[in-house]
Amino acid sequence: MTAKIPLLIDTDPGVDDALALLVAFNDTAHDVIGLTIAAGNVGLQHTVRNALKLCEVAGRSEVPVFAGCAAPLLHPSPDAADVHGLDGFGDTGYTPAAHGAQAEHAALAILRLSHEYAGRLLLVTLGPLTNVAVALKLDPTLPQRVARLVVMGGAASAHGNLTPAAEFNVAFDPEAAHLVFQAFPQFDVADWEATLAHGLHHRRVEQWLAAPSPRAAFYETISRQTRLWSADRRGDHWHSADALAMALALHPDGATELVERPLAVELAGTLTRGATVTDWNRQTGRPDNARLLLRYDQARFEALVEAALAAA
Ligand code: BDR
Ligand code: CA
């Protein structure tokens, strides 16, 4: 039997983070070795609480949850409570998980686990990159031990969601994204534009959410508010950025179109701070650090989401 791939997820749950975590928990080829938690969609006290609850609902309370940085590296940034609810999980008033987070800081946990699983670690980031940036500052050799980094973030052609040019995860903490993009020689990116190209039809999602499983029932309630918001704002299809990134991480062979280019973060612009700049024509002479997802097998993506919700 082949050993499972150790999977460490840095996340800011968040409704779409939750779906990505369910997809990860349902994967038999990967072993979720921990969740490191960032502030982003909402404040850290909520994202930690949500991560713990999601683990409990999925019957995975043994997965260690590590609280990380409560704010971006340099500049405060608004959260996404308008999309995810004030508590990040749709304000359903759920009963908190019975267990708590670990004492170890997320950045330290990233470093420790990178040693324990050196050369095999799959690191997936679903939120602002603050924790990974701090880990890199503490130990710049981190990338040498990470087998693969998959980032949900950015907007390859500057079709942003937080601002006209910038995507939320990068724009929340541009300096952190800058440090990570500079430090890792190569990483995979599922950006906001790929997310837009892989919408999930609301009617199909509703069918999946009717599955007789505690995971589907919980997810139906926490995602209701954001699905209504999305239907109102974006029409027939719902977009789950983090779930698509997780599909790319777990099943890279589902990607049907990828492109490698140098990717950098704009730190200074008044209109464009936090935008990701793709050097499409390779004018900078910088190496191709990012492998950008353009197309993923839609049926495969949907099957992963459906199965994750239906899992007992
Ligand atoms: C990203 O921002 C967050 O609101 C989502 O959880 C996702 O990680 C999409 O831009
Ligand atoms: Ca997220």
Side-chain angles (χ1 to χ4, degrees):
M1 203 182 82
T2 347
K4 290 188 180 191
I5 297 174
L7 169 60
L8 178 59
I9 306 170
D10 191 80
T11 171
D12 63 332
V15 172
D16 61 331
D17 300 77
L19 189 56
L21 295 178
L22 291 179
V23 170
F25 285 148
N26 196 39
D27 193 277
T28 52
H30 294 77
D31 184 20
V32 182
I33 58 165
L35 305 180
T36 54
I37 309 301
N41 283 320
V42 286
L44 188 69
Q45 74 281 18
H46 288 302
T47 54
V48 171
R49 193 173 173 268
N50 292 346
L52 291 164
K53 183 64 184 179
L54 208 271
C55 289
E56 186 181 82
V57 168
R60 300 297 301 272
S61 299
E62 83 287 359
V63 172
V65 171
F66 305 91
C69 301
L73 293 182
L74 276 184
H75 303 290
S77 191
D79 65 20
D82 56 327
V83 183
H84 298 263
L86 292 175
D87 75 348
F89 263 10
D91 300 323
T92 61
Y94 68 73
T95 307
H99 67 304
Q102 307 293 306
E104 190 178 22
H105 190 279
L108 296 175
I110 291 170
L111 291 176
R112 179 177 55 77
L113 292 166
S114 76
H115 282 284
E116 270 174 45
Y117 298 94
R120 297 200 297 128
L121 186 64
L122 169 57
L123 176 59
V124 178
T125 67
L126 305 175
L129 287 146
T130 322
N131 293 332
V132 183
V134 170
L136 277 166
K137 279 288 171 197
L138 291 170
D139 182 355
T141 68
L142 171 66
Q144 295 168 18
R145 297 184 298 280
V146 175
R148 183 168 166 237
L149 170 66
V150 179
V151 173
M152 189 288 125
S157 301
H159 182 158
N161 56 1
L162 184 66
T163 70
E167 179 279 333
F168 180 84
N169 286 343
V170 174
F172 185 86
D173 193 347
E175 282 75 19
H178 169 73
L179 291 171
V180 173
F181 291 4
Q182 284 216 320
F184 279 81
Q186 201 161 48
F187 49 92
D188 289 351
V189 178
D191 76 337
W192 179 247
E193 290 164 31
T195 304
L196 287 177
H198 296 86
L200 304 168
H201 200 286
H202 280 288
R203 270 205 305 278
R204 286 180 64 74
V205 174
E206 283 158 18
Q207 286 164 5
W208 302 337
L209 291 172
S213 88
R215 297 182 192 196
F218 182 73
Y219 199 72
E220 197 282 323
T221 61
I222 65 164
S223 65
R224 200 177 297 159
Q225 186 174 313
T226 179
R227 284 182 289 115
L228 287 172
W229 178 92
S230 170
D232 187 46
R233 294 275 291 264
R234 299 200 178 113
D236 287 348
H237 288 79
W238 183 49
H239 301 95
S240 186
D242 295 337
L244 180 66
M246 191 55 75
L248 174 66
L250 302 176
H251 300 280
D253 56 333
T256 53
E257 209 181 333
L258 294 153
V259 63
E260 295 189 42
R261 284 293 185 278
L263 189 70
V265 180
E266 175 61 83
L267 299 175
T270 47
L271 294 173
T272 55
R273 177 171 152 78
T276 47
V277 179
T278 310
D279 183 1
W280 291 112
N281 301 320
R282 296 198 173 98
Q283 286 158 302
T284 59
R286 294 210 189 95
D288 290 349
N289 55 350
R291 196 159 58 148
L292 296 153
L293 175 68
L294 299 181
R295 289 280 158 193
Y296 195 88
D297 180 335
Q298 180 73 16
R300 186 128 180 230
F301 174 42
E302 295 192 7
L304 287 171
V305 172
E306 182 178 9
L309 289 167

